[in-house]
Amino acid sequence: METTICFQNDKILVLAGKYNGKQLSVKSFKTFELSEGSIINGVITDNFSIRQVLSKIKSDKTLFCKNVRIIIDSSLIYIKQAVFPLVSDSKMNIFVENEFVGIDSKNSEMIFDYSVLSQEGGKKVSVACFAMEKSLAKSFIDIFAEEGIKLSAIDVSTNCVIKYTVGIPMLKGK
């Protein structure tokens, strides 16, 4: 079982369940309203409000599992689509990082990731490239650590939509 926590500006969505590659099983789902301004464009501005909700989630045995993933939605996360040669993960990371050379960022320390969208002819892949400032991710990591919750993954909302559509057989290849 896994707990997925999605942060939006006005609420936090929580889903507990599991996915085995073919089937999604939802154990529990709950929405927690946030006080206005607690999160603005994916940036935590009110630690107290967020910690209160995390405490409620942690105490709810139907929602909280040891494997916790979060989803962040923010226009501060850079997204590009690119086509690269089919290479190893470490080389792919270099290609992705190079896609964002020259982005105007307050903080030069960035985190990069990618998601393969499709394979084109066996030698190339279409990839969704992602970049975000480390400080954005760190604010979430820190607040979870304060609550004694270890994160297994941080994802961005766009990538979750990609994973969702890839997992629907009717949308295969679309």
Side-chain angles (χ1 to χ4, degrees):
M1 286 296 218
E2 177 176 289
T3 298
T4 302
I5 303 172
C6 179
F7 289 88
Q8 297 181 341
N9 287 336
D10 59 343
K11 61 188 163 232
I12 296 176
L13 309 170
V14 184
L15 181 133
K18 66 181 176 178
Y19 178 70
N20 67 7
K22 292 185 179 185
Q23 186 176 9
L24 173 66
S25 169
V26 176
K27 177 181 173 185
S28 183
F29 176 82
K30 198 166 192 177
T31 301
F32 295 89
E33 299 297 322
L34 289 173
S35 54
E36 191 173 333
S38 295
I39 296 178
I40 299 173
N41 193 21
V43 177
I44 297 171
T45 57
D46 180 1
N47 284 5
F48 181 74
S49 179
I50 305 299
R51 287 185 70 185
Q52 281 185 313
V53 172
L54 291 179
S55 182
K56 289 178 187 174
I57 294 167
K58 192 176 172 183
S59 67
D60 187 332
K61 301 303 177 203
T62 64
L63 278 179
F64 186 72
C65 306
K66 288 185 179 180
N67 191 15
V68 178
R69 306 170 62 89
I70 65 170
I71 302 168
I72 303 171
D73 185 22
S74 173
S75 65
L76 300 173
I77 299 167
Y78 301 94
I79 304 166
K80 284 186 174 184
Q81 185 175 348
V83 176
F84 298 130
L86 184 58
V87 295
S88 69
D89 185 53
S90 60
K91 288 182 182 176
M92 188 67 74
N93 285 325
I94 293 168
F95 287 148
V96 170
E97 194 171 331
N98 287 336
E99 278 297 305
F100 294 102
V101 168
I103 60 172
D104 191 22
S105 174
K106 297 178 282 184
N107 179 354
S108 63
E109 287 195 82
M110 303 289 287
I111 299 171
F112 302 96
D113 199 8
Y114 69 93
S115 187
V116 174
L117 302 172
S118 64
Q119 193 165 339
E120 299 178 6
K123 294 190 178 200
K124 291 187 176 189
V125 288
S126 178
V127 176
C129 307
F130 305 98
M132 82 163 87
E133 292 184 13
K134 279 187 181 180
S135 60
L136 181 61
K138 187 174 178 344
S139 65
F140 285 91
I141 293 167
D142 290 347
I143 203 163
F144 274 80
E146 290 168 7
E147 286 300 312
I149 303 171
K150 184 178 178 193
L151 295 175
S152 64
I154 297 175
D155 210 344
V156 298
S157 58
T158 304
N159 196 38
C160 293
V161 172
I162 291 167
K163 289 177 185 176
Y164 177 72
T165 55
V166 167
I168 298 174
M170 287 178 19
L171 297 176
K172 194 168 187 100
K174 303 281 185 204

